[in-house]
Amino acid sequence: MKREDFIKGKIYTHEQYMELSIMEMMESKAEHTDKADPKVGAVLVDRNGAFFDKSHRGELRIGDHGEFTVLERKHPGEDLSGFTLYTTLEPCVKRNFPKKGCYKRCINARIGKVFIGHPDPDPTVASNGYKLLKKAGIEVEFYDKKYEEEIAKANEQFFKEATKRAEEDKTKEIQSAIDPIENELIEFQLQDLSEEAQRTMIDKMG
């Protein structure tokens, strides 16, 4: 099926909703020129399991996330409680103020269930979007493996850069834990130890 073939109010299969979100994902518009932006597609399904709406990153405004677009730009103030959201990438957690993470927008909209196409390896998300949705009482499941691989392929450059950022953050955390110890050793004087401890250290050092 084509994206245009989906009719609001008509019920489609779980697989068709996942496939539609991937088709939307491929329409995503990049925001930056100095780094890769994730490609994200979202599909909203009503309480009866019928197609309600769809969106992709940057659809209405460059920089707007797919989930935000379908939940708040397209349907501000509407009752979406109990709806199901299909999103190709794990909802984000941190945004620059006054923006909110997409996980929070799902909670505020009282979404009942979220299907996630692929975990987000960026250190600002890194499974926390999934955990926060679950903690809020939202049912969360993941796409089938074949769709997950398709999403990963389309986001190859973003995932590569996000993984690098995660590794750099981990190195910084380790370094920040080591630095205080190194500083203490730099300032260490033998006379700081007791006579007995000094003798023990000298004996061990030969």
Side-chain angles (χ1 to χ4, degrees):
M1 291 182 65
K2 297 178 181 179
R3 293 163 58 232
E4 298 76 17
D5 293 337
F6 283 81
I7 301 169
K8 185 174 181 178
K10 186 175 178 180
I11 296 176
Y12 298 90
T13 67
H14 173 57
E15 287 73 20
Q16 286 174 319
Y17 289 137
M18 288 188 287
E19 289 168 1
L20 175 60
S21 71
I22 290 173
M23 285 189 276
E24 280 294 307
M25 171 190 74
M26 300 308 292
E27 299 296 318
S28 294
K29 297 176 178 64
E31 174 185 1
H32 300 92
T33 56
D34 58 337
K35 65 177 182 178
D37 289 309
K39 295 182 176 72
V40 180
V43 171
L44 197 56
V45 177
D46 70 18
R47 302 175 196 89
N48 300 314
F51 171 65
F52 188 76
D53 210 342
K54 58 185 173 57
S55 66
H56 55 265
R57 182 187 177 99
E59 179 181 354
L60 300 182
R61 189 175 71 176
I62 296 298
D64 281 353
H65 290 192
E67 302 96 323
F68 166 66
T69 298
V70 76
L71 294 175
E72 297 189 27
R73 281 222 174 272
K74 289 189 171 184
H75 302 284
E78 290 187 43
D79 182 11
L80 305 177
S81 58
F83 278 38
T84 296
L85 178 70
Y86 287 79
T87 178
T88 56
L89 193 65
E90 179 183 4
C92 65
V93 175
K94 297 179 181 179
R95 299 296 313 273
N96 293 328
F97 184 81
K99 295 179 180 179
K100 301 174 184 175
C102 287
Y103 88 91
K104 192 106 180 180
R105 299 191 186 280
C106 292
I107 294 171
N108 291 345
R110 295 184 173 83
I111 295 297
K113 187 171 186 175
V114 175
F115 283 98
I116 296 173
H118 199 293
D120 189 337
D122 192 274
T124 61
V125 186
S127 294
N128 288 315
Y130 161 79
K131 291 173 184 175
L132 288 165
L133 290 174
K134 293 279 286 185
K135 188 176 181 180
I138 296 175
E139 192 177 349
V140 184
E141 290 187 25
F142 288 90
Y143 284 27
D144 297 346
K145 190 71 176 178
K146 64 177 181 179
Y147 296 121
E148 183 179 305
E149 291 172 354
E150 194 173 343
I151 292 164
K153 185 176 180 181
N155 283 286
E156 184 176 5
Q157 185 58 33
F158 170 74
F159 283 4
K160 183 179 179 181
E161 293 178 15
T163 300
K164 184 180 179 181
R165 286 193 292 272
E167 290 171 353
E168 289 171 350
D169 276 14
K170 193 174 292 185
T171 300
K172 288 176 185 175
E173 287 176 12
I174 294 171
Q175 195 60 45
S176 65
I178 291 174
D179 283 348
I181 299 173
E182 289 182 338
N183 291 336
E184 287 298 320
L185 290 174
I186 289 169
E187 297 172 6
F188 170 76
Q189 299 292 326
L190 191 61
Q191 55 264 34
D192 291 338
L193 301 176
S194 65
E195 289 185 13
E196 183 179 355
Q198 289 181 38
R199 285 195 296 273
T200 300
M201 178 174 281
I202 291 169
D203 288 342
K204 287 184 176 180
M205 293 174 66

